[in-house]
Amino acid sequence: MKYLTLLFLPLFLLSCSNNQERRLTVAVSFFVGDVKINGIPVSIGQQVRESDTITTSENSSCDINVGESLLRVKEKTSVLFAELKIGEGSDKSTMALASGKILCKPKKLLKDDSFIVKTQTAVAAVR
């Protein structure tokens, strides 16, 4: 029994380390109606990458998880994901709203994080 404890204790301590790799995952979590990414119909869990464009038709909407943030794309909307980057201690998300409406619920941002939505007439940012 002592040998099993001595064997599993180091493995347990290694699995509890704080050296976790962080990834900025951007994926479709919900959609209703006709929603497309780059002209191709979406599916739940589909990854959204940098330079992808999401478009919704009439009576359609889509929820997208941007890391821990949430973005709801309303009907008749076109959104370009211009920048989706993660670095050491900083997440940067930039979306360009060409037309329509989006609702954003960004996570609590840290010092060097940014969440930016650009339109033709304004720029809204959370720093």
Side-chain angles (χ1 to χ4, degrees):
M1 186 69 162
K2 287 182 182 180
Y3 297 114
L4 288 176
T5 305
L6 292 174
L7 176 65
F8 287 111
L9 183 61
L11 294 175
F12 176 75
L13 292 174
L14 286 175
S15 68
C16 294
S17 70
N18 289 334
N19 205 4
Q20 296 176 351
E21 183 177 306
R22 296 178 359 158
R23 292 183 183 175
L24 183 61
T25 56
V26 181
V28 176
S29 60
F30 174 81
F31 74 95
V32 171
D34 185 27
V35 180
K36 297 180 180 178
I37 296 179
N38 299 328
I40 301 169
V42 301
S43 60
I44 300 289
Q46 182 174 352
Q47 297 289 315
V48 179
R49 295 181 181 18
E50 204 170 274
S51 76
D52 281 353
T53 301
I54 294 184
T55 55
T56 57
S57 300
E58 190 170 342
N59 298 322
S60 302
S61 68
C62 179
D63 288 356
I64 300 167
N65 291 336
V66 181
E68 296 175 28
S69 302
L70 180 66
L71 183 74
R72 178 165 289 166
V73 182
K74 302 295 256 178
E75 66 178 345
K76 299 180 188 176
T77 301
S78 179
V79 179
L80 169 69
F81 286 82
E83 181 182 25
L84 300 171
K85 293 191 180 180
I86 186 165
E88 287 197 23
S90 68
D91 296 344
K92 298 188 185 306
S93 306
T94 304
M95 282 74 65
L97 180 64
S99 63
K101 298 178 184 178
I102 58 174
L103 300 173
C104 301
K105 184 179 177 189
K107 70 171 187 158
K108 183 173 181 175
L109 300 178
L110 300 175
K111 181 180 177 183
D112 294 328
D113 293 351
S114 68
F115 189 91
I116 300 171
V117 177
K118 296 181 179 182
T119 69
Q120 294 175 353
T121 57
V123 174
V126 179
R127 294 188 324 155

